[in-house]
Amino acid sequence: MPVDTTPRSTTWTFVDGDWVTGNPPLIGPTSHAMWLGSTVFDGARWFEGISPDLDLHCQRVNRSATAMGMKPVMTAEEIEALALEGVKKFDGKTAIYIKPMYWAEHGMAGSVVAADPDSTRFALCLFEAPMHTAQPSSITVSPFRRPNPEVAMTNAKTGSLYPNSGRAIIEARARGFDNALMRDLNGNVAETASSNIFLAKDGVVMTPVANGTFLAGITRSRVINLLRSAGVEVREVTLTVEDFKKADEIFTSGNYSKIVPINRLDDQEFQEGPLARKALQLYMDWARATVKAAA
């Protein structure tokens, strides 16, 4: 019986000069992206009439495409304008995920494994996705590791990195947890399977230093700067699992859900703490104030 390919929420996609609804068939069995994984994407959010750091997400998808050997065919400014145009197609009641994407249609002449940059295609997909901000989550130390730059395309937000995260989440959920705490090849904490991670200890916030094994996110950077501006000491340092187990509180940052408190790490329970709440409040205040200033 054929799989239903209908999207699970209201969806609009801009591709080849037009907006189309639903899930358009874009990648065929001979497409390079289908069998050799040349896909990159980014993710921004629209909610409450605002889309924080949309410009930075549009810039990053072009950097990711270049890192994967493709040729960006849209400027970041064009992508941003299209995204804001697309938002108007929704009723404005539900948060939206904004996903610009590039992929290669063909392989390079003489070496099909590499993408042909001249065959780069672009699409911008927007779909309804409710926010899950501040909903507590549990994590467990994963047996799987984050790759380093020598063995994977870690400097791009590419779909090819996500199966590793997917298997970590599947393994974690099989043991009763929501997400996985992933380490790098040296055994130090990198991030969760889907978001950057912070701890707080004695009033100081710490987060794994960006070492090329994980994507140091746009929301992560925003949270660090906002906390520092508010007088909170934030350190980017090498952290172990033991450091997290000794923390007063743990929280994650990411574009999809912004700030999420961690209530359990393996057999240790945590309470949502004041610095996680402060990080979320600072972020939302900044996002709302930025829109008012631009109005």
Side-chain angles (χ1 to χ4, degrees), residues 13-20 26 74 82 85 121-124:
T13 299
F14 181 89
V15 62
D16 296 335
D18 290 310
W19 286 101
V20 294
L26 299 179
M74 302 282 287
L82 275 173
E85 177 184 315
R121 297 187 66 192
F122 170 82
L124 173 65

Side-chain angles (χ1 to χ4, degrees), residues 194-230:
S194 58
S195 54
N196 296 135
I197 193 161
F198 294 78
L199 67 80
K201 180 70 175 178
D202 298 329
V204 177
V205 172
M206 288 177 270
T207 191
V209 63
N211 61 4
T213 65
F214 64 93
L215 197 65
I218 290 168
T219 304
R220 171 187 179 274
S221 178
R222 182 65 63 189
V223 167
I224 289 172
N225 291 332
L226 288 170
L227 284 170
R228 285 175 174 167
S229 296

Side-chain angles (χ1 to χ4, degrees), residues 5 14 30 33 55 64 83 85 93 116 163 192 217 222 226 231 265:
T5 61
F14 181 89
T30 67
D55 56 340
S64 293
E85 177 184 315
K93 298 177 182 178
D116 177 0
T192 76
R222 182 65 63 189
L226 288 170
L265 168 55

Side-chain angles (χ1 to χ4, degrees), residues 73-192:
V73 297
M74 302 282 287
T75 67
E77 292 78 14
E78 289 171 334
I79 298 171
E80 183 179 3
L82 275 173
L84 295 176
E85 177 184 315
V87 163
K88 296 177 183 177
K89 295 183 174 295
F90 296 81
D91 62 17
K93 298 177 182 178
T94 304
I96 298 168
Y97 192 75
I98 299 171
K99 183 175 63 173
M101 298 172 287
Y102 286 107
W103 70 97
E105 188 61 33
H106 302 295
M108 185 181 293
S111 179
V112 70
V113 172
D116 177 0
D118 291 327
S119 72
T120 303
R121 297 187 66 192
F122 170 82
L124 173 65
C125 181
L126 285 73
F127 58 89
E128 291 183 344
M131 301 280 282
H132 299 291
T133 298
Q135 294 185 11
S137 180
S138 62
I139 57 176
T140 182
V141 178
S142 178
F144 304 116
R145 303 291 184 97
R146 284 292 194 193
N148 61 31
E150 287 76 27
V151 299
M153 189 69 68
T154 59
N155 62 333
K157 192 172 177 68
T158 168
S160 61
L161 291 175
Y162 280 80
N164 189 47
S165 294
R167 68 174 181 165
I169 290 175
I170 290 169
E171 193 275 340
R173 293 192 174 181
R175 294 192 284 114
F177 295 88
D178 299 315
N179 208 326
L181 184 65
M182 300 190 73
R183 295 164 291 170
D184 61 24
L185 295 181
N186 292 322
N188 298 310
V189 171
E191 60 174 351
T192 76

Side-chain angles (χ1 to χ4, degrees), residues 22-33:
N23 187 25
L26 299 179
I27 297 176
T30 67
S31 298
H32 191 271

